[in-house]
Amino acid sequence: MVDATDTGIARLSASGRVLSWNVGAERITGIPAADAIGQHLPDLTGPRTALSAGQLAKATERGEPVHLEARHFRPDGTAVWVEVSIAPITGWNGKPDGVVVTVVDISDRKSAEARLEIVARTDSLTGLANRADLERSIRQALARCQDHDSGGALLFIDLDGFKEVNDRLGHRVGDDVLREVGARLSKSSLIGHLPGRFGGDEFGVLLESTARLGTDHDLEVAGKILAALADPF
């Protein structure tokens, strides 16, 4: 029965060594049963998987269930997100007598969550940070500046004459202009700078930790951005 499920199922002794290892566990972890049987589970999964000996001991010694999500690296180097549940087994004497570990591949769910996170933080037209992400980053930057007595700058960019472009040439051309502005801001911004779009024809570039570089640095970056935007569209 345990080999008829996609879920990985393993039985461990009270000392944490593998007693059984089903086909689902082989497929998800990339570790054959022949290599798993008799091994101590944290040693088997490796240090890069978030399954520690302490977590295993919580179930095997104290009889407490454990539930976690971890990124597991297979022997061939490929990574898979897994949901791990460790349920203690109670012996006839009422004491912990090993555990059952179930492992579910949640890579597809994690990928979907990551895509949704990107969508939630990205302006769909330009690919820059959207208003919510830009404002959140500004608040975080202000907090860091206060904590570390550092500085930063916010460049606010408004496109002159954009309404006329929309009125005379149509919104499709206007959208093309906004996309090109986004591309130029991305290319002219340095590492550590965050370009974003507040909405409409309003953009911003967050320059963090520029106190040690001084105002001249901010003006230099602003000059590069203005030069990039001055080229004909």
Side-chain angles (χ1 to χ4, degrees):
M1 290 293 292
V2 294
D3 284 336
T5 177
D6 290 334
T7 300
I9 303 174
R11 169 76 188 272
L12 274 62
S13 68
S15 64
R17 296 193 179 276
V18 178
L19 301 176
S20 65
W21 191 262
N22 79 335
V23 173
E26 288 185 319
R27 179 184 58 81
I28 294 172
T29 66
I31 301 171
D35 295 339
I37 302 298
Q39 298 297 313
H40 195 244
L41 188 59
D43 296 337
L44 185 64
T45 57
R48 293 186 295 176
T49 293
L51 177 61
S52 67
Q55 291 166 327
L56 188 58
K58 183 179 179 181
T60 56
E61 296 174 11
R62 300 200 294 270
E64 299 176 15
V66 174
H67 181 80
L68 60 93
E69 293 182 358
R71 197 178 185 203
H72 170 70
F73 290 86
R74 294 168 172 149
D76 63 4
T78 59
V80 57
W81 275 99
V82 294
E83 185 178 70
V84 182
S85 296
I86 306 175
I89 299 172
T90 303
W92 62 269
N93 57 0
K95 296 182 179 180
D97 188 29
V99 297
V100 172
V101 180
T102 58
V103 183
V104 178
D105 185 342
I106 58 171
S107 298
D108 290 344
R109 193 192 84 196
K110 284 291 186 179
S111 296
E113 289 174 353
R115 289 194 296 270
L116 287 174
E117 176 68 15
I118 292 172
V119 169
R121 300 176 61 174
T122 304
D123 178 65
S124 60
L125 184 63
T126 64
L128 301 179
N130 61 17
R131 184 186 191 97
D133 189 44
L134 194 54
E135 290 180 344
R136 178 170 54 248
S137 297
I138 291 170
R139 290 193 297 270
Q140 293 172 347
L142 287 173
R144 284 191 290 269
C145 288
Q146 293 174 345
D147 291 342
H148 303 290
D149 193 25
S150 59
L154 175 65
L155 306 182
F156 188 82
I157 302 164
D158 180 79
L159 304 182
D160 293 336
F162 180 73
K163 184 178 183 301
E164 185 177 356
V165 171
N166 265 341
D167 292 343
R168 293 183 58 185
L169 302 177
H171 289 284
R172 180 174 296 181
V173 174
D175 287 349
D176 288 341
V177 170
L178 294 176
R179 291 190 191 94
E180 181 61 21
V181 169
R184 294 186 187 191
L185 287 179
S186 294
K187 290 179 181 178
S188 56
S189 297
L190 303 177
I191 295 176
H193 298 169
L194 177 66
R197 181 182 175 218
F198 286 108
D201 63 343
E202 297 177 347
F203 295 80
V205 180
L206 177 62
L207 314 180
E208 194 177 352
S209 301
T210 59
R212 65 183 184 278
L213 301 176
T215 305
D216 289 344
H217 169 77
D218 302 339
L219 294 175
E220 181 182 352
V221 173
K224 289 180 179 179
I225 290 174
L226 288 175
L229 296 178
D231 289 337
F233 280 74

